[in-house]
Each structure stands twice: as structure tokens, then as C-alpha cells.
Amino acid sequence: MATTSTVKEASKSDSPQARSFDALVVGAGFSGLYQLLCLRDRLGLSVQVLEAGGGVGGTWYWNRYPGARCDSESHSYCYSFSDELTKEWEWSERYPGPPEILRYLNYVADRFDLKRNIRFNTRVSSAHYDEAANLWRVNTDAGEALTAQFLITAVGCLSSANIPNISGIDTFNGRWYHTGEWPHEGVDFSGKRVGLIGTGSTGIQAAPVIAETAAHLTVFQRTANYSVPARNAPLTPEFKRYVKENAAEIRQVMQSTVNGHPFTIADRSALETPPEERQAIYEAAWEIGSLRFRAAFRDLLTDKAANDTAADFIRAKIREIVKDPATAAKLSDFDHPYAAKRPPIDTDYFETFNRDNVKLVDVRAAPIEEITPQGIRTRDAEYPLDIIVFATGFDGMTGSLLRMDIRGRDGLPLTKAWAAGPRNYLGLQVAGFPNLFTVTGPGSPSVLCNMPVAIEQHVEWITDCIAYMREHGLTRIEPKNEAVDAWVAEVNVAAEATLLPLAKHSWYLGANVPGKPRVFMPYAGGMAHYRKICADVATKDYEGFTFSG
Ligand code: N01
């Protein structure tokens, strides 16, 4: 970071009476915790974090569904800003589950004494910009009023549950749950007939675990999804040592790659590789498992014919694993290129359909018509159920921001400013909403990147920007309209250069939420390239932004 790293504790924020802050941060997940630390301890600002959950963790606080596990490898799914922290913490498995991630984030929060500036169980109900005072006026659901010069949303990209509006849900005699709002005490499936709607990353993780204890599991699939084995395992002492001894090199790889993972994308073309050699490469990648499969060839996300070779390989694997040919055919009837939707990784997902107590129902062929008191009725049949699990995803990227009643200059609601889709500069700031920063907002690499890498870059950029303003006596920043126009165009160009927009049902496009504008939201130009763009903007005295004060 360009800013001073002098640790300076703020005194104002320590006062329980204080209602006015330099900065308010919404959310206490990976982003909010690090943003608090940077603003409070590096810049000496008074900061209050407001968090709806009862503890730190953000998305991991809520997503405790059976089988939940991160798909980034644990040694890369953590902060890299502190060498001491990296040395101290040790992950136990290749992919961390929610309990271990929550232990980690609590450790970080305690180690850096962050919790004293976080108010839990506090949801922001509105945030309005007061131009005359140059302040954000924030209200909470508990009726509190707070003000701050800077408002920083650290609400995560996937925190607003998408529960489909299926008629009859209120009449259901059983219990129903959304995976993103999972009861902390867990759900007992034993002896129960369970219906699982959704086969995204979540449904694919949950199905095998639910099937183990439920009397019967019916998986309602609308879109067949690719998946590659995760091959989770405990980390060996050798690997743990490797991580500690090579922390700097691992960080360097993560910061130089397209999507922030600790491995690089192979510099070979699937199409130019002879078929036998290509098959051997895919077989080896399948054995290694993880998102590394996507990195087997450089052209999988840019060339449809190259992508078809991966799709064919996975289709053949599904047919090899799943014994019933009709079920295998439904599971592999893909309507989009591999990895054009977020590519899930799994533990025994396809194998689960060989169990006697599991059935796949194709709800694209025969759509769900209603939920009845007894279960789910599709066009063709009624399925009696005791529990329905909605693994139906999120109102991604914009949902949590738009539900917060954010209003900018002249009372302009963000819902209106973004009526046709999100419009901002660098995914960081919205024209007409001065001093509002959105960590991993739409228009930034965010969900196309290993999240902690994207988060650290955003938080540090925002911190540097605020430090710059204070050094120069500036009190207000917002982007110029022409910079926003150019960035929105750039986001579209970057998406069009890939196969990502070909997944018509993707939440990247907002296609999973009825009425949401179809706009490709994340920046697909790569994290390393994006990092450079942001750094260049800062070097040129924040080109594209206007300051006042
Ligand atoms: O949600 P999704 P998710 N009737 O939107 C279906 C991250 N994540 O929670 O494709 C029937 O991907 C929908 O069908 P369709 C990761 O970034 C990470 O699974 O719209 N079906 C789809 O099958 C991921 O991408 C991890 O046709 C309906 C499913 O529900 C993101 O979270 C783990 C329906 C939703 O899939 C979201 O994943 C989990 C309806 N009315 C999640 N509505 C890891 O780190 C929706 N569907 C491993």
C-alpha cells in the first residue's frame, strides 16, 4: 500500500455515545473486517461497522447448509496482508468449510481487536447522502441514526437470497429452507422425504450430504450443470510447510493471474493439442480436481470449439459414473459452455444418483407448477415431501445494495440510477453518490476471482484513495459520468471477449431473478489487468474522478 502503515488507534469510535464517524462500513465478512482495520489502524479514522449477522463471517455466517465448503483452496482463501497472520494460521483441509472459515475470521477479528468497532445484529435500513453537510445519514432497523463522511459497502456479492415465487409455498405442510439462510442449529433430514431445488454450486454440494441421511431425496434440476471432483483431503504436514515457506511466491502467483488462484492457466490450446494428449491432460486434471481443471488449457473460456472438448470430456465422465443412462443423459444435457456459469466442484455429486433413495427430476422438461400442502407438483407429477431445500442462489452482486435504500445527491435512489443495470466506475463508485465506495461491486472482477484477492485489492485502493483525499484537503469524491460510460462499455467488451455471456440462465447476467435487467455484471478482463487499471488511475491523481473540498 502507498499509505502509511503506522498503527494509530482512533479514539472517537471507542466512545459508546458516538453516532458520528469518519466512515461507516456495512458488513463484517472478509471485506468489512479488512476495511475496518485499514481505515482505523492505518489511517486513524473513526469507523463503525454495521453487521446484520450475530457474528463475523458475512456469507459464511449464513451459508451453513449441508456440504457447504469453499471452492478456493484454503491456503489461498485467506488474507495476505500480514506475514505474521499467514505464519500463525494453519488450515486443516484442502477446502475449508464454514466452521473453519468462521474460526479463521474470528481469529483475525480478535487478533486485530476489530470487534469493538462492529455492531452485530444491526441491519442498515437506509443510507441517504446529505449534500449540504457532505455526510451519509444511515438508519438501522433498530431505529438508530448514524452519520459518516464515507460509506463503504462490504456486503458481499452473494448475500441476498433468491427464493423463487412458486405459488402455494405458504400451504406446504412440511418445512422449507433456503441454503443461504440456513438454521444455525442445523436440519435433521433423517427419515424425511427431501426435495432439493437447484443444481448450482450449492445444490451440487448439498445433494450428496442430504442423501446420506434423508429417507429419500428428489433433486429438481432446471439446468444441467458441469462439475469436477473437488478431491478434498486433509492437508499434509509437507503441504502446510510448503505454504509457510513459500508464502511470498504463492501470493505473487495469486496477484498475477487472471482469477486470483494460486495456480496459473496452462499456456497451451485445447484445439492445437493432439486428441490423445488432450485426453491425457483432462484425465490428469480430473484426478487433481478443483478449479484447476479450468486451467488445463488457455482457450477454454474464449473459444467455443476448445470449450466443447472440455464439455465432451465431462459428459463422458458423467455417463461413466451414473449407472442409469436416462439420468446420465439429463445430468449432462448442458445448455451452456463449460465454466460459462460458475463451475462447481463436488464430492460424489454424480455418484449420488446411483443411490436407491435419490431421484432426478427434469423441471425444464416438466416445470414446477406449484407447491402443494404435500409437496411439489410439476406439470407431470406430484412429489410428496417433508422438507424443501431451495438451493436457488442469490440476487447476486446488486441485490444487497439495492435492498438497502441507498440514495445519492438530490435523493436519487440507487434503484433508479441502476434501473437498467449497474453503472459505476471500476466497480468502486457510482456517479451522483459521492463518498460511497462499493467493495467488490458489480463491474469489478469480484466473483470471477478468488474473493480474498479481489477484496484486498479493493480495500487497499479505497484506503489509499481516502488517504490521498486527506493529504490533499479533499472531502468529496465521485466519478465523472464519462468515466462511468467508458467503464460500463469496457465491462461489456471484456465479457464479450469470453464465452461467459453464452450462459443465458446465469446469475452473472442477473438472469436468475425475474425482472432483473440482463447485464453481465462482473468485470471479465482478469484480476491482474484490473489491478493495473486501478493502480494507473490512482497514479494519475485518480483520473476519471472529481474531487471537491
Ligand atoms: O446458486 P446458482 P448457488 N425453479 O444461482 C435453480 C457461489 N458458491 O447458490 O440454472 C427451478 O448458481 C437454477 O436453475 P437455472 C458461487 O459463486 C460458491 O448454487 O437458473 N430451479 C440453478 O440450478 C455460485 O455460483 C460455493 O435454470 C431454479 C440453481 O437454482 C454462487 O454462489 C458454494 C429456480 C441456482 O444456482 C451461487 O450458487 C456455493 C426455479 N424457480 C455457492 N430458481 C463454493 O465456494 C433457481 N433455480 C464452493
Side-chain angles (χ1 to χ4, degrees):
M1 287 178 71
T3 51
T4 167
S5 60
T6 319
V7 175
K8 197 167 103 188
E9 298 294 341
S11 55
K12 274 192 275 179
S13 57
D14 292 337
S15 153
Q17 284 82 35
R19 288 287 178 274
S20 180
F21 301 89
D22 293 324
L24 285 169
V25 176
V26 188
F30 269 93
S31 324
L33 293 180
Y34 188 39
Q35 189 68 77
L36 166 60
L37 185 148
C38 286
L39 295 181
R40 187 193 69 182
D41 294 355
R42 295 185 185 163
L43 301 193
L45 304 195
S46 64
V47 186
Q48 176 71 59
V49 177
L50 302 170
E51 165 57 55
V56 300
T59 195
W60 299 103
Y61 180 83
W62 304 103
N63 280 269
R64 305 191 193 198
Y65 59 86
R69 204 170 273 287
C70 184
D71 59 4
S72 290
E73 297 180 25
S74 54
H75 68 291
S76 66
Y77 197 74
C78 44
Y79 296 110
S80 69
F81 66 84
S82 161
D83 290 340
E84 293 74 24
L85 177 63
T86 305
K87 279 192 199 110
E88 287 159 17
W89 187 259
E90 197 164 276
W91 295 101
S92 66
E93 292 179 274
R94 184 173 182 189
Y95 309 95
E100 194 168 19
I101 298 173
L102 291 175
R103 272 201 303 282
Y104 172 73
L105 289 175
N106 274 290
Y107 179 81
V108 172
D110 292 337
R111 189 192 189 287
F112 295 99
D113 191 18
L114 299 176
K115 286 180 184 167
R116 68 187 157 95
N117 297 109
I118 306 173
R119 195 161 315 155
F120 295 109
N121 301 307
T122 304
R123 189 176 285 280
V124 170
S125 51
S126 66
H128 297 176
Y129 178 66
D130 174 342
E131 179 154 33
N134 189 30
L135 284 177
W136 279 93
R137 298 194 180 278
V138 172
N139 287 297
T140 72
D141 56 1
E144 289 166 291
L146 307 109
T147 64
Q149 182 187 1
F150 297 102
L151 175 65
I152 297 154
T153 62
V155 291
C157 299
L158 297 161
S159 22
S160 195
N162 174 39
I163 301 170
N165 187 13
I166 302 174
S167 74
I169 191 165
D170 296 337
T171 69
F172 182 51
N173 285 334
R175 308 293 301 264
W176 64 266
Y177 307 92
H178 186 280
T179 49
E181 295 171 349
W182 202 254
H184 287 190
E185 64 280 11
V187 175
D188 183 5
F189 294 106
S190 46
K192 299 283 196 289
R193 297 161 302 173
V194 182
L196 172 69
I197 305 179
T199 53
S201 303
T202 302
I204 282 176
Q205 287 184 326
V209 182
I210 296 174
E212 274 170 22
T213 53
H216 190 270
L217 172 67
T218 308
V219 177
F220 295 89
Q221 171 191 282
R222 189 164 67 182
T223 304
N225 211 343
Y226 301 88
S227 189
V228 166
R231 309 231 185 267
N232 187 37
L235 294 179
T236 61
E238 295 74 40
F239 187 80
K240 289 178 185 174
R241 201 164 44 247
Y242 155 80
V243 169
K244 300 249 183 265
E245 288 172 2
N246 297 280
E249 290 77 4
I250 294 169
R251 184 184 313 147
Q252 200 278 328
V253 172
M254 295 198 309
Q255 296 199 343
S256 64
T257 60
V258 171
N259 38 30
H261 287 289
F263 51 84
T264 49
I265 295 172
D267 187 24
R268 60 186 166 220
S269 152
L271 285 183
E272 288 164 17
T273 305
E276 269 183 23
E277 191 184 332
R278 186 171 62 214
Q279 182 72 9
I281 290 168
Y282 279 137
E283 287 288 357
W286 184 265
E287 283 314 308
I288 292 168
S290 87
L291 296 173
R292 290 170 193 257
F293 186 88
R294 188 178 48 176
F297 296 100
R298 67 162 189 267
D299 45 1
L300 294 186
L301 265 184
T302 50
D303 186 318
K304 176 69 170 56
N307 191 287
D308 286 345
T309 67
D312 289 345
F313 179 85
I314 297 174
R315 203 176 281 117
K317 282 288 179 199
I318 296 171
R319 290 178 177 167
E320 213 176 285
I321 296 168
V322 179
K323 292 185 186 135
D324 173 40
T327 303
K330 278 183 207 156
L331 285 167
S332 57
D333 186 16
F334 308 125
D335 71 352
H336 57 285
Y338 164 66
K341 281 179 156 191
R342 169 80 168 206
I345 58 174
D346 71 275
T347 301
D348 295 337
Y349 176 64
F350 296 116
E351 288 82 349
T352 294
F353 293 94
N354 292 333
R355 295 177 67 113
D356 292 339
N357 69 335
V358 177
K359 180 181 172 63
L360 181 71
V361 172
D362 178 354
V363 293
R364 187 170 305 284
I368 294 174
E369 294 197 331
E370 64 170 341
I371 294 177
T372 66
Q374 288 75 36
I376 291 179
R377 194 170 61 73
T378 69
R379 197 195 59 196
D380 288 352
E382 182 164 359
Y383 299 88
L385 301 168
D386 302 306
I387 294 176
I388 299 173
V389 175
F390 289 93
T392 45
F394 302 89
D395 183 353
M397 306 212 73
T398 55
S400 300
L401 294 171
L402 296 179
R403 282 181 198 185
M404 224 190 297
D405 186 17
I406 298 176
R407 298 182 194 208
R409 180 178 290 113
D410 301 327
L412 177 68
L414 188 61
T415 45
K416 200 165 172 196
W418 285 5
R423 293 181 56 77
N424 60 20
Y425 182 37
L426 301 173
L428 278 161
Q429 273 221 312
V430 188
F433 295 74
N435 293 349
L436 167 69
F437 293 95
T438 52
V439 180
T440 63
S444 76
S446 58
V447 292
L448 299 179
C449 182
N450 177 24
M451 283 308 291
V453 173
I455 286 168
E456 283 192 330
Q457 183 267 343
H458 256 198
V459 165
E460 288 169 8
W461 193 95
I462 292 166
T463 307
D464 286 349
C465 177
I466 293 176
Y468 174 94
M469 289 174 70
R470 293 171 86 85
E471 278 157 24
H472 291 79
L474 304 166
T475 55
R476 192 178 348 229
I477 176 171
E478 68 178 298
K480 295 176 183 165
N481 282 317
E482 55 270 31
V484 171
D485 291 345
W487 185 249
V488 171
E490 175 77 26
V491 171
N492 284 324
V493 167
E496 291 302 329
T498 71
L499 303 177
L500 295 170
L502 297 184
K504 297 293 176 215
H505 303 288
S506 160
W507 63 263
Y508 292 158
L509 273 169
N512 61 331
V513 178
K516 190 165 175 172
R518 298 279 173 109
V519 173
F520 192 87
M521 292 179 287
Y523 173 65
M527 186 63 213
H529 184 57
Y530 173 81
R531 182 187 297 280
K532 187 173 174 318
I533 294 172
C534 291
D536 286 350
V537 165
T539 308
K540 293 176 187 161
D541 289 328
Y542 295 88
E543 188 178 48
F545 292 93
T546 51
F547 291 101
S548 55

